Amino acid sequence: MFKQGKEFKAFESKVWLSSPTMHGPEIEYVKEAYETNWMSTVGQNINEVERIACEKTGCHYAVALSAGTAALHMAVKLAGVQPGEKVFCSDMTFDATVNPVVYEGGIPVFIDTEYATWNMDPVALEQAFRLYPEVKTVVVAHLYGTPGKVDEIKEVCDRHGATIIEDAAESFGATYKGIQTGTFGTYNCISFNGNKIITGSSGGMLLTDDKEAAEKVRKWSTQARENAPWYQHEELGYNYRMSNVIAGVVRGQLPYLEEHIAQKKAIYMRYKEAFKRAGLPVEMNPYDEKNSEPNFWLSCLLIKPEGMCRQMRGEQEALYLPEHGKSCPTEILETLASYNAEGRPIWKPMHMQPIYRMNSFVTREGNGRAKTNAYLAVGAVGKDGRALDVGMDLFQRGLCLPSDNKMTAGEQDRVIEIVKGCFE
Ligand SMILES: *Cc1c(COP(=O)(O)O)cnc(C)c1O
């Protein structure tokens, strides 16, 4: 399998990218919901998860919802986004960050990424306000649990009078200057999806310091019923409330957030040190070591340009040319899969997604769309083999490694050996 013929046995049980880790109390809270017959969207589990989320993050109000995506949708409504209105959005993120803007008829404008944290580039954001000074809302994500440049982004948004919606779906428990992510925006979201740092199997939350906003979301998410003896409606309603059963799982998980973060951090550090020791032409997903403490949700690898073999990606398939001493995300991911380990490409930037090909995209230099469309037309990186913007470059050279917190040190060492083998 390996280039130099080294053979390893495949993992007997699959090593996952990030799978749920249960501890026991979850089933007790679920049972409690069952036995007391609070099998709806009302109950003690919901009250408790909201209370604990506020306690953990320091935000004033939390509203438990069916998904992080629902929380983001409610946030976009709270921000008052109107049909046809442009909204600045993180570009290197999962599409759930931006889809809710479109649910409300808004038009996402994608802001390029910076290399220091792989999040929204405040310089590109400033450039975007120069191009579209009328924009009033900015949706910012913290990729892979790494806080972005919060102060710089807040400064730009404040100066332009824009409201921040913070997507902390991947970064629950991560801090910036000692303050929890999910508290920097006016309206914020966290997620309890099955692959996140803690999970309810599904679920999410809107976090805010605005009491009136929290009350609105409580109402909208339960079909917007008015205070009347019958079903009375003045506003558009949604069925977005979290179930008390799901809340039982979340409630059982919440005390383990810090333990999960510690396990994820140990995985990140073990990879980082091993790759450094081996002298591989790679680096880990970076973070601001002075100002931030990520939750280390996913450990990612970025191959240095000189370590990249040739790799081509179409819309559905990828090809590469193996080369001694070099590798690429496709080779590493295919090799990991052949050993029963799950990695994943870096989230493909929104500006490269067919669904958003007509949307504006702003880089540090200004309008990045013309260059990107040229790229999409030829299906290759630029003439000199270099990507044309930061997001595209990270997508081309980066990948997510198995980051499951149940992975043993021995299993992780085998993953490391597999990656090293790809560079032989
Ligand atoms: C998972 C995720 C979401 C959506 O959360 P769900 O609970 O799955 O709806 C939103 N944004 C980002 C960045 C995510 O990773």
Side-chain angles (χ1 to χ4, degrees):
M1 197 68 224
F2 279 128
K3 286 174 178 169
Q4 310 226 322
K6 228 191 281 175
E7 276 290 353
F8 282 82
K9 277 205 309 223
F11 292 103
E12 306 73 45
S13 60
K14 184 162 178 173
V15 175
W16 297 95
L17 181 73
S18 180
S19 72
T21 303
M22 295 295 123
H23 299 276
E26 299 88 346
I27 194 70
E28 297 308 319
Y29 290 123
V30 169
K31 234 166 90 186
E32 190 179 303
Y34 182 90
E35 282 165 359
T36 56
N37 207 36
W38 288 101
M39 297 294 285
S40 70
T41 52
V42 184
Q44 198 53 34
N45 288 333
I46 298 177
N47 300 341
E48 275 302 292
V49 296
E50 289 182 346
R51 186 187 65 76
I52 298 165
C54 287
E55 194 178 87
K56 275 197 188 293
T57 58
C59 88
H60 293 353
Y61 304 99
V63 185
L65 299 171
S66 56
T69 311
L72 284 160
H73 187 189
M74 295 290 92
V76 170
K77 276 186 72 92
L78 286 168
V81 172
Q82 297 299 309
E85 182 180 324
K86 289 188 172 64
V87 174
F88 294 153
C89 297
S90 287
D91 180 57
M92 275 264 297
T93 185
F94 185 54
D95 72 339
T97 305
V98 303
N99 288 344
V101 170
V102 182
Y103 300 166
E104 288 303 303
I107 302 171
V109 170
F110 302 113
I111 310 299
D112 200 13
T113 306
E114 37 83 2
Y115 284 108
T117 77
W118 295 9
N119 285 300
M120 184 186 280
D121 182 354
V123 179
L125 180 63
E126 180 66 53
Q127 188 66 262
F129 275 111
R130 233 167 272 149
L131 292 167
Y132 307 104
E134 72 278 13
V135 168
K136 297 194 288 274
T137 306
V138 180
V139 188
V140 189
H142 304 286
L143 195 73
Y144 303 135
T146 301
K149 296 192 171 186
V150 174
D151 277 357
E152 291 89 337
I153 287 170
K154 268 179 80 90
E155 190 275 323
V156 174
C157 289
D158 287 348
R159 197 153 29 76
H160 294 277
T163 301
I164 295 178
I165 294 174
E166 191 187 355
D167 179 356
E170 298 179 1
S171 68
F172 186 38
T175 59
Y176 178 83
K177 295 191 172 171
I179 297 167
Q180 292 280 324
T181 58
T183 63
F184 295 108
T186 306
Y187 313 115
N188 314 290
C189 132
I190 53 176
S191 166
F192 303 113
N193 183 306
N195 68 359
K196 298 296 192 314
I197 189 97
I198 61 163
T199 182
S201 75
S202 66
M205 251 184 217
L206 180 107
L207 305 178
T208 182
D209 284 346
D210 180 342
K211 183 162 190 250
E212 213 178 302
E215 280 166 3
K216 276 186 194 160
V217 172
R218 259 174 231 290
K219 180 184 170 190
W220 293 342
S221 64
T222 51
Q223 308 288 19
R225 283 141 66 165
E226 297 300 328
N227 191 11
W230 46 80
Y231 287 140
Q232 176 85 3
H233 301 285
E234 293 175 9
E235 292 180 282
L236 189 59
Y238 299 83
N239 184 5
Y240 276 177
R241 195 72 162 126
M242 183 183 279
S243 142
N244 193 50
V245 177
I246 297 289
V249 184
V250 177
R251 187 178 176 187
Q253 286 264 288
L254 277 165
Y256 295 93
L257 174 62
E258 292 75 17
E259 182 182 312
H260 288 194
I261 293 174
Q263 290 163 337
K264 296 271 191 183
K265 182 172 183 175
I267 290 167
Y268 177 97
M269 292 301 169
R270 195 179 185 87
Y271 279 136
K272 185 172 173 154
E273 265 138 46
F275 295 138
K276 197 169 157 201
R277 216 176 317 119
L280 296 189
V282 300
E283 45 203 314
M284 298 295 292
N285 47 328
Y287 64 99
D288 177 351
E289 292 177 29
K290 191 162 137 267
N291 290 316
S292 77
E293 185 63 25
N295 69 7
F296 299 95
W297 177 51
L298 294 188
S299 286
C300 305
L301 206 60
L302 187 69
I303 302 172
K304 293 181 179 168
E306 64 271 23
M308 279 284 289
C309 68
R310 283 165 70 192
Q311 172 189 250
M312 296 267 278
R313 281 178 172 147
E315 287 303 328
Q316 312 274 342
E317 287 177 313
L319 290 171
Y320 68 95
L321 283 174
E323 198 176 329
H324 285 299
K326 296 184 178 188
S327 191
C328 63
T330 304
E331 179 175 32
I332 296 172
L333 292 169
E334 284 182 1
T335 310
L336 283 169
S338 74
Y339 286 100
N340 204 20
E342 184 189 31
R344 193 160 293 173
I346 293 295
W347 295 183
K348 184 173 179 177
M350 289 301 112
H351 80 278
M352 295 174 72
Q353 299 286 356
I355 181 175
Y356 291 122
R357 71 191 179 282
M358 302 305 281
N359 294 57
S360 300
F361 168 59
V362 184
T363 66
R364 285 180 165 222
E365 288 79 41
N367 182 353
R369 188 39 93 184
K371 280 201 295 187
T372 306
N373 284 352
Y375 163 92
L376 292 173
V378 296
V381 278
K383 276 205 297 278
D384 54 355
R386 299 288 296 266
L388 302 170
D389 53 70
V390 179
M392 186 181 284
D393 186 31
L394 294 174
F395 177 61
Q396 176 75 3
R397 298 192 284 123
L399 68 142
C400 309
L401 292 166
S403 305
D404 197 61
N405 48 343
K406 293 173 297 306
M407 196 170 26
T408 64
E411 286 172 326
Q412 207 191 337
D413 288 343
R414 284 167 70 188
V415 170
I416 291 163
E417 288 308 312
I418 291 167
V419 173
K420 277 159 67 175
C422 290
F423 283 94
E424 279 175 0

